[in-house]
Amino acid sequence: MATDLPAQLTGFPRLVEASAEVAAPLAVAGDLVANPARHADWLSMHAAFREAPPQVASAGDAFEEQVTLMGIPADIAWVVREAEPGLTALDGAGPMNLTLALRMEVAQDDAGQVRFTIRAGIGGDPVEGPLGATVAASVEEALVESAGRFAAVAAALAADPAESSGTRFPQRTVVHERTGARLDPRTPVLVGVGQVVQRRPDLENGAEDPASLAARALRRAAEDSGAGEELLRAADAVYYVASASWTYRDAGRLIAEQLGADPAETAMSAPYGGDAGQVLINTAGQAVADGRAEVVLVSGAEAGATLAAAQKQGIDLDWPVQERDIAPTTVLGSDREANNGPETAAGLSVPVYTYALIESALRAKAGETPEEHRRTITGLWSRLSEVAAGNEYAWLPQAHTPEQLATPDAGNRMISEPYPKLLCANLQVDLAAGVVVTSVAAATALGIAQDKWVFLHAGAAAYDEWFVSERRDLAASPAIRAIGEAAFAHAGIGPDDVRHVDLYSCFPAAVQIAADELGLPLDDPERPLSVTGGLTFAGGPGNNYGTHAVATLVDRLRRDPESYGLSTSLGWFVTKHALGIYSATPPRTPYRALAPVLLPERARPALDSYAGPGVVEAATAQYGRDGAPEAGILSVLTPEGARVLVRTTQPEVLDCIVAGDPIGLPAQVEDVRTLTITGQERTDLPEPPEPPVLVERRGPVLVITLNRPERRNAIDLRTARLLERVVDAFEADPEARVAVLTGAGGTFSAGMDLKAAAAGQFALTEKRGPLGISALPIAKPVIAAVEGHALAGGCELALIADLVVASTQSQFGIPEPKRGLVAAAGGVMRLTERLPRNVAMELALTGNPMPATRLAELGLVNRLAEPGAVLDAALALAEEIVANAPLSVQVSRRIVAESPTWAPEEAFARQSDLASVAVTSEDAAEGIAAFAEHRAPVWRGR
């Protein structure tokens, strides 16, 4: 050991070192020394990282690494003690009071030879006992091997720079100067924003298309950042909010060409959806946090005003038309049809009519008269107009009083009760917005001042029940509530902590629903619900309003750096939702784009035809350009809780909608064009019917109950579709670990509903196939709780599960051959996999049932229970599973499922590869510690 001992290594009872000559430039070797993330490539003691380490070490950085000492895994908590060019020094602490100092250096001698030296100091119980010399020898051997590996890796990097980490900017921890917070280099920040408003179409000077307007907004964003166009050229991803006024195949590519960027990725949102701006920003933030991108440009634009003016003057605009084979790397969002049949037939394909219908339901929920509610919404919109009056980028920067907004006139004609024009989104605009999302490492390297940084704290997105007519409550949004709760929880704040708010404001109904679900007061003078003025006054640029909202929010947060801002966006008819929380103060937890799981709630069947009694739930009247009502649309709930939409031109009904108040009144529906109000006493709205699939959370266990006892829980198309949604939600929910599938009414399932199938309604879904569940393997454990018999499709349904609990009186069988059919939903195949060949053959060829008691002897049924106690027994089995480490359960299940197809010569290696995920996990260390400490383990699933 050298005599010039650094202070870091003094005091250790054991010191070891190794070195090697390196055939690589000093700079290359120095970069490798500085990169703890590459320990996996050369440090022979390395086993796994517990968390992502820095890619460039900075003094004070901390990370956890599992190393192997004498073949025994040990978790080491490292702190970077020194980080200088060519030197990284780590201080570590491990189990049994183990202390470890690691000092890694590269230097060049007078002859130009680069040498790597690694030294270690070892202390604590493992080395102070009788095995100290053995431990030291083991570490020394590891260092010798590591030095050789280091030299080989450095030489490979010198020969092929593409083998480096791939990052363009130094990935070192960044210290936030104002707060002192230490930031992971991949922390995403908004560094530049730009907006364009073109209130008068410029047809004489070329009339810029939306992509060109977006590029102009991004140039302003680059100027705003202080980094200039170098920032734009550095983009490795360009995201674009799809334009409604002009269709592009890949607008991101056009924008990149205009800005001189060469991105590896271009993304575009689905053609329609006002959630797009926020979704793209959330996605950009996650791409940066994951290290998949370092500079992302997000923009959108509309030139609807220019397009309208050109059409009026008969001018053909020479805007870009891309070739058919051009497409973005990624398309984000859903392009599913917006309306079902009943909605289309009622004329609800235009947003204003649907939102006006929802508005009446909100009024009823608030208990307000039509005049009281008119004052509520015009007061809300008046406050938004005052915000727009101070917004230099607003399309209509003019304040309006509530009285002006409530009064129909030539410039404010009635559209759909209770909305005149100035309470509707203003879509015919020329507007563009751009924001730039970078990592803090990129922002630092590009010289962007920290007072320009606004951090993404949390993003979230979810969808409500897709079709409005099938929602339980027109005046609610479970999805907004869910994304709000998820984002607030992740950011560690609540609604009262948010000082700057922008709620998507296409129509007053959207703002009221969002405010209610997020816990924000509607009329707080200190906290308006928009920073732009909303889609009427700031402008509703197609899908892109959310980008304008965030761009405006950024300026507010820079001027108020201790505060938080919240922005929401939505698409279609309060259907697609996204939210973001921002602040100029660094986040408490690393950014995540969240996708909270919403289990399907009770929905209402939307009827194509109906004749009978009901109660009016909501109503609106559509107006013609002459100011007279043309048609009424009413939502009527049947006594069974279904919904029928009536579109009528009956004068007495129109008069009741416009001059009266039909909400809550009983009605007799003759057909979907005619109804009669049958009384003036308001009645309660009927609850929706129970769904054919019930879902109940019991901690980490999800109980899924087929709920058609009148049909012996046979599965029709509606049930199959709902079952598919429930299974999808189960797989996506990180909190749900085991599902128990059972049936209501003392029976399991009769399988496919043959009566429905005979009428052409087959229980077959696009994704999961027969019964809505059988074509795709489910990624988590499923237990079938079989009361009664499981025959035909019911048997196939039980066989989908990993484990089966059955009644002692149950029978299983596939009688399809008796009906000229085959158990092709997986029945024959799965019986063959899980039973002896001759037994499976008997069941398949005879079609005769077999008792559960016999199948328990043969291993198909895991546990038997007395009739009526099967679900309890299944839940007890589920609890035994969830008591174990999540990763261990997941890996063990995969090995059981996949190993039968492995070749013998590769089986053990493949098992080891899968098992390593669990063996090197935090839970593995926790399990060992809990055993040693005689306590129950606390699993973290990682």
Side-chain angles (χ1 to χ4, degrees):
M1 180 68 62
T3 56
D4 54 337
L5 199 64
Q8 181 197 15
L9 298 178
T10 59
F12 282 95
R14 303 283 180 176
L15 298 172
V16 293
E17 75 170 48
S19 64
E21 291 185 352
V22 179
L26 182 62
V28 172
D31 287 346
L32 186 57
V33 160
N35 189 346
R38 299 209 67 156
H39 282 185
D41 297 336
W42 63 268
L43 185 64
S44 65
M45 293 185 295
H46 172 84
F49 289 116
R50 295 305 190 193
E51 57 193 32
Q55 292 183 331
V56 177
S58 299
D61 284 354
F63 63 98
E64 291 188 22
E65 183 175 14
Q66 187 179 76
V67 301
T68 302
L69 298 174
M70 296 178 59
I72 300 173
D75 279 358
I76 304 295
W78 295 114
V79 175
V80 179
R81 177 176 178 139
E82 299 174 61
E84 305 290 344
L87 165 67
T88 299
L90 307 176
D91 286 340
M96 300 177 63
N97 298 316
L98 173 68
T99 58
L100 189 62
L102 207 59
R103 195 172 183 86
M104 300 159 285
E105 299 177 81
V106 289
Q108 192 170 38
D109 62 22
D110 294 340
Q113 177 62 56
V114 176
R115 175 167 289 276
F116 169 68
T117 303
I118 181 169
R119 293 188 277 183
I122 318 165
D125 296 348
V127 296
E128 292 176 358
L131 293 178
T134 304
V135 173
S138 173
V139 173
E140 184 173 23
E141 181 180 346
L143 296 192
V144 170
E145 182 180 354
S146 297
R149 289 186 181 181
F150 180 94
V153 171
L157 291 174
D160 184 5
E163 290 295 318
S164 67
S165 65
T167 58
R168 295 171 295 153
F169 306 105
Q171 297 295 294
R172 58 169 48 90
T173 298
V174 176
V175 176
H176 189 248
E177 296 158 3
R178 180 170 57 82
T179 64
R182 299 179 62 82
L183 304 174
D184 183 289
R186 291 162 292 226
T187 301
V189 284
L190 291 162
V191 297
V193 297
Q195 298 186 69
V196 173
V197 56
Q198 186 173 264
R199 297 189 184 92
R200 293 191 177 185
D202 190 9
L203 295 174
E204 296 179 359
N205 295 309
E208 289 178 289
D209 68 295
S212 297
L213 288 173
R216 182 141 62 101
L218 284 167
R219 289 191 184 95
R220 289 187 177 182
E223 182 181 355
D224 170 66
S225 75
E229 302 217 356
E230 180 186 1
L231 173 63
L232 304 178
R233 291 191 295 272
D236 41 24
V238 178
Y239 294 177
Y240 187 75
V241 177
S243 298
S245 54
W246 194 256
T247 300
Y248 300 95
R249 297 189 181 278
D250 183 5
R253 182 181 299 191
L254 292 174
I255 292 168
E257 291 171 355
Q258 292 187 48
L259 300 178
D262 184 21
E265 179 191 12
T266 59
M268 196 154 72
S269 66
Y272 300 104
D275 59 323
Q278 187 66 60
V279 166
L280 264 59
I281 292 171
N282 290 351
T283 305
Q286 193 64 61
V288 170
D290 291 344
R292 294 182 286 109
E294 295 176 279
V295 178
V296 184
L297 312 182
V298 182
S299 65
E302 295 294 346
T306 291
L307 193 62
Q311 290 174 342
K312 187 175 181 180
Q313 297 180 36
I315 298 174
D316 288 330
L317 296 171
D318 186 22
W319 285 355
V321 176
Q322 294 173 297
E323 297 295 330
R324 288 182 176 273
D325 60 347
I326 291 176
T329 311
T330 309
V331 176
L332 298 168
S334 173
D335 193 23
R336 184 182 177 187
E337 68 278 9
N339 299 101
N340 59 17
E343 292 166 14
T344 301
L348 290 179
S349 56
V350 178
V352 62
Y353 303 140
T354 304
Y355 279 93
L357 189 70
I358 292 170
E359 190 70 60
S360 67
L362 280 163
R363 175 176 64 77
K365 185 176 184 178
E368 295 180 334
T369 66
E371 187 53 41
E372 288 170 340
H373 195 66
R374 198 178 307 276
R375 287 195 294 269
T376 295
I377 61 179
T378 55
L380 171 62
W381 241 234
S382 175
R383 293 190 292 276
L384 264 59
S385 75
E386 291 171 357
V387 173
N391 176 8
E392 64 178 305
Y393 298 110
W395 186 255
L396 296 175
Q398 178 184 349
H400 294 73
T401 67
E403 294 73 24
Q404 288 173 324
L405 296 173
T407 304
D409 57 28
N412 190 33
R413 64 182 180 86
M414 286 300 299
I415 305 295
S416 191
E417 187 68 33
Y419 294 158
K421 183 177 180 180
L422 288 177
L423 264 62
C424 302
N426 186 357
L427 300 178
Q428 196 166 294
V429 297
D430 286 0
L431 291 170
V435 303
V436 182
V437 183
T438 76
S439 65
V440 296
T444 300
L446 290 165
I448 300 172
Q450 291 191 2
D451 60 8
K452 292 288 186 180
W453 297 5
V454 170
F455 296 89
L456 291 76
H457 282 237
Y463 295 165
D464 270 311
E465 183 74 43
W466 192 266
F467 297 121
V468 175
S469 60
E470 297 176 14
R471 293 178 192 162
R472 175 175 188 155
D473 183 356
L474 295 181
S477 171
I480 294 179
R481 182 178 293 270
I483 64 176
E485 289 174 349
F488 281 136
H490 186 79
I493 63 171
D496 292 342
D497 298 310
V498 176
R499 191 175 301 165
H500 307 284
V501 176
D502 196 279
L503 303 185
Y504 194 88
S505 48
C506 50
F507 302 94
V511 178
Q512 294 166 82
I513 290 174
D516 182 59
E517 300 291 9
L518 295 172
L520 299 170
L522 202 63
D523 56 357
D524 183 352
E526 300 299 319
R527 187 172 60 178
L529 296 181
S530 177
V531 296
T532 69
L535 279 78
T536 298
F537 308 108
N543 304 320
N544 193 47
Y545 172 80
T547 315
H548 286 272
V550 173
T552 307
L553 199 59
V554 164
D555 183 60
R556 296 281 188 96
L557 295 171
R558 285 170 175 170
R559 290 186 277 115
D560 189 7
E562 301 291 337
S563 67
Y564 291 91
L566 178 148
S567 178
T568 70
S569 290
L570 67 80
W572 282 129
F573 314 108
V574 198
T575 306
K576 305 190 286 186
H577 305 280
L579 175 151
I581 295 176
Y582 306 90
S583 178
T585 294
R588 302 172 188 178
T589 52
Y591 172 80
R592 279 186 61 199
L594 306 162
V597 176
L598 277 74
L599 291 173
E601 63 168 19
R602 281 195 188 190
R604 296 188 184 274
L607 305 181
D608 292 297
S609 61
Y610 176 74
V615 56
V616 178
E617 173 197 25
T620 185
Q622 300 174 2
Y623 287 79
R625 288 190 170 273
D626 61 358
E630 291 183 330
I633 303 174
L634 300 94
S635 172
V636 179
L637 301 183
T638 71
E640 296 75 27
R643 184 179 279 120
V644 56
L645 297 172
V646 177
R647 180 181 180 85
T648 181
T649 58
Q650 296 166 267
E652 67 276 14
V653 177
L654 289 177
D655 184 64
C656 184
I657 295 171
V658 173
D661 182 7
I663 311 304
L665 297 182
Q668 181 70 25
V669 178
E670 304 300 332
D671 53 45
V672 293
R673 289 288 182 268
T674 311
L675 63 72
T676 303
I677 302 296
T678 58
Q680 293 302 311
E681 185 174 339
R682 303 191 190 279
T683 59
D684 294 333
L685 301 180
E687 286 294 311
E690 278 200 340
V693 179
L694 302 176
V695 186
E696 179 188 1
R697 291 182 186 270
R698 299 196 183 186
V701 179
L702 201 68
V703 180
I704 304 171
T705 304
L706 301 174
N707 187 38
R708 300 185 76 214
E710 74 284 357
R711 297 286 300 156
R712 294 177 54 235
N713 297 321
I715 298 177
D716 61 0
L717 180 57
R718 179 174 175 234
T719 307
R721 286 172 173 168
L722 186 53
L723 186 58
E724 179 180 82
R725 287 178 58 194
V726 170
V727 173
D728 287 347
F730 166 60
E731 287 193 322
D733 188 350
E735 303 301 320
R737 293 184 50 203
V738 178
V740 174
L741 178 64
T742 189
T747 189
F748 184 62
S749 174
M752 185 175 292
D753 189 327
L754 297 181
K755 184 176 180 180
Q761 293 288 311
F762 292 94
L764 184 70
T765 60
E766 183 176 346
K767 179 180 179 182
R768 294 190 180 271
L771 308 178
I773 193 173
S774 67
L776 284 180
I778 301 172
K780 297 179 181 179
V782 177
I783 301 171
V786 180
E787 285 279 10
H789 300 320
L791 302 175
C795 181
E796 295 184 281
L797 197 63
L799 292 172
I800 290 164
D802 299 288
L803 306 170
V804 178
V805 178
S807 160
T808 54
Q809 297 180 8
S810 295
Q811 291 189 329
F812 291 73
I814 48 174
E816 280 83 353
K818 296 179 183 293
R819 305 184 186 108
L821 303 173
V822 174
V828 177
M829 178 178 65
R830 291 187 172 104
L831 283 172
T832 303
E833 293 171 350
R834 297 167 72 170
L835 285 173
R837 180 181 183 277
N838 286 1
V839 177
M841 192 70 77
E842 178 184 344
L843 287 166
L845 299 185
T846 68
N848 294 330
M850 191 171 287
T853 50
R854 172 60 176 150
L855 291 172
E857 295 172 356
L858 294 169
L860 179 66
V861 173
N862 296 83
R863 296 188 182 180
L864 293 168
E866 291 303 311
V870 172
L871 179 58
D872 289 340
L875 289 170
L877 179 57
E879 289 299 327
E880 293 179 30
I881 295 171
V882 299
N884 297 323
L887 285 176
S888 298
V889 170
Q890 177 185 339
V891 168
S892 298
R893 182 176 179 276
R894 282 193 63 187
I895 293 173
V896 171
E898 297 175 16
S899 59
T901 64
W902 295 345
E905 62 273 13
E906 66 176 10
F908 200 84
R910 294 191 66 174
Q911 172 191 262
S912 298
D913 287 343
L914 289 175
S916 64
V917 175
V919 172
T920 61
S921 69
E922 289 184 32
D923 280 352
E926 166 64 9
I928 294 170
F931 177 81
E933 297 166 11
H934 305 289
R935 60 174 175 81
V938 179
W939 307 124
R940 301 179 68 184
R942 61 187 189 188

